[in-house]
């Protein structure tokens, strides 16, 4: 039986981590911590925890779990990950991982020293539509991919959030862009050679990066672009991708939006309908 400590008993622990843990045999949550006393006690009872703590430092001073799930805000991740690793726990950390490359390097060094794993929860690549797309691409069904376009459009600046996200200045790219970047590397099966990012500020009243443009150059004459717009007045699109391959162009839409279109096909010489 593997034992788990949940660091941060917020909504993600209650709605995502706890149901996932319950579905996996051989894993038991034994402790948790949160700075908010009311939430600490309420979620602690929901998870059936005998002991809850006010901080990760207190928890790891008293507990010795096999795995630590880090679900705190990103500015806490460095300290929480180091506490877990020094206590000999493997780490499953929510994204965004940490605030700086130096923080990431420090955690990686601690993990190597402790001979423990650190995994960041970029979960989109495990969703059925992305996983199946990658499987069929790898099987050669569409030919080699050469261009990926990703975009998001919604009217949702940070101040509309109700938690720590409302205070972010490094916001859209830091908090959401990790999903798009991970999927690009997943589909191309490579890391980029070069990245160019421009974050204009068309709304002087908003300090956060609500508009993000990115171009990534990958090995083998492959390229990807990303445009994230959190102040768009267009119809909402939570996350869209187009992957152009040698023999097909693939469209992947995430966000529960239904579409119906009527077009004229020049090649067929007749109207075409699609839902």
């Amino acid at each position: 039986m593997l034992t788990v400590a949940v660091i941060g008993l917020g909504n993600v622990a209650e709605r995502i981590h706890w149901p996932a843990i319950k579905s996996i045999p051989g894993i038991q949550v034994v402790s948790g911590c949160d700075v908010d006393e009311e939430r600490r006690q309420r979620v602690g009872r929901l998870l059936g925890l005998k002991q809850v703590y006010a901080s990760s430092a207190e928890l790891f001073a008293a507990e010795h779990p096999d795995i630590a799930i880090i679900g705190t805000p990103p500015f806490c991740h460095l300290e929480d990950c180091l506490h877990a690793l020094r206590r000999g726990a493997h780490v499953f950390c929510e994204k965004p991982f940490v605030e700086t490359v130096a923080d990431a390097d420090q955690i990686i060094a601690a993990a190597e020293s402790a001979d423990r794993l650190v995994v960041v929860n970029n979960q989109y690549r495990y969703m059925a539509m992305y996983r199946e797309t990658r499987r069929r691409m790898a099987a050669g069904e569409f030919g080699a991919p050469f261009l990926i376009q990703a975009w998001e459009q919604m009217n949702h600046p940070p101040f509309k959030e109700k938690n720590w996200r409302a205070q972010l200045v490094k916001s859209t790219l830091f908090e959401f862009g990790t999903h798009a970047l991970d999927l690009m590397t997943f589909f191309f099966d490579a890391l980029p050679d070069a990245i160019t990012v421009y974050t204009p500020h068309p709304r002087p009243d908003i300090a956060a990066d609500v508009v993000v443009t990115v171009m990534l150059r990958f090995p083998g004459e492959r390229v990807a672009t990303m445009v994230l717009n959190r102040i768009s007045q267009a119809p909402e699109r939570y996350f869209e991708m187009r992957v152009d391959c040698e023999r097909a162009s693939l469209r992947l839409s995430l966000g529960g939006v239904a579409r119906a279109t009527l077009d004229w096909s020049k090649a067929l010489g007749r109207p075409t309908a699609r839902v």
Side-chain angles (χ1 to χ4, degrees), residues 18-187:
W18 175 234
I21 291 168
K22 287 196 299 182
S23 72
I24 304 173
I27 295 182
Q28 179 184 8
V29 179
V30 294
S31 57
C33 68
D34 199 282
V35 295
D36 185 290
E37 183 176 0
E38 183 279 329
R39 174 165 286 276
R40 182 166 69 240
Q41 299 301 327
R42 182 177 64 80
V43 180
R45 287 192 297 270
L46 172 69
L47 274 59
L49 303 181
K50 295 180 180 179
Q51 186 66 50
V52 289
Y53 302 86
S55 70
S56 60
E58 290 182 23
L59 185 150
F60 288 110
E63 305 279 350
H64 199 287
D66 298 309
I67 300 168
I69 295 178
I70 311 296
T72 50
F75 53 81
C76 300
H77 287 178
L78 174 62
E79 179 179 292
D80 292 336
C81 287
L82 292 178
H83 283 314
L85 291 167
R86 288 165 182 163
R87 193 60 167 167
H90 298 287
V91 170
F92 179 89
C93 185
E94 271 298 333
K95 64 84 195 171
F97 182 30
V98 284
E99 295 183 294
T100 69
V101 173
D103 288 352
D105 288 341
Q106 191 173 347
I107 292 173
I108 292 168
E112 291 175 344
S113 176
D115 193 25
R116 290 296 180 265
L117 297 175
V118 175
V119 177
V120 179
N121 187 26
N122 283 309
Q123 77 275 21
Y124 279 25
R125 63 165 62 196
Y126 299 103
M127 293 180 179
M129 71 172 178
Y130 299 122
R131 189 174 66 246
E132 176 66 9
T133 298
R134 178 68 179 86
R135 184 193 68 78
R136 294 173 66 179
M137 289 170 61
E141 183 174 342
F142 311 117
F146 60 87
L147 173 64
I148 297 176
Q149 300 170 74
W151 66 99
E152 177 187 67
Q153 59 195 48
M154 62 176 68
N155 188 1
H156 193 81
F159 60 74
K160 291 190 177 183
E161 296 281 358
K162 296 180 180 179
N163 53 21
W164 54 267
R165 292 177 179 85
Q167 308 303 318
L168 289 178
V169 175
K170 292 189 298 182
S171 175
T172 305
L173 182 60
F174 181 58
E175 200 279 323
F176 182 81
T178 178
H179 290 308
L181 294 170
D182 183 63
L183 284 173
M184 290 169 178
T185 63
F186 182 52
F187 288 144

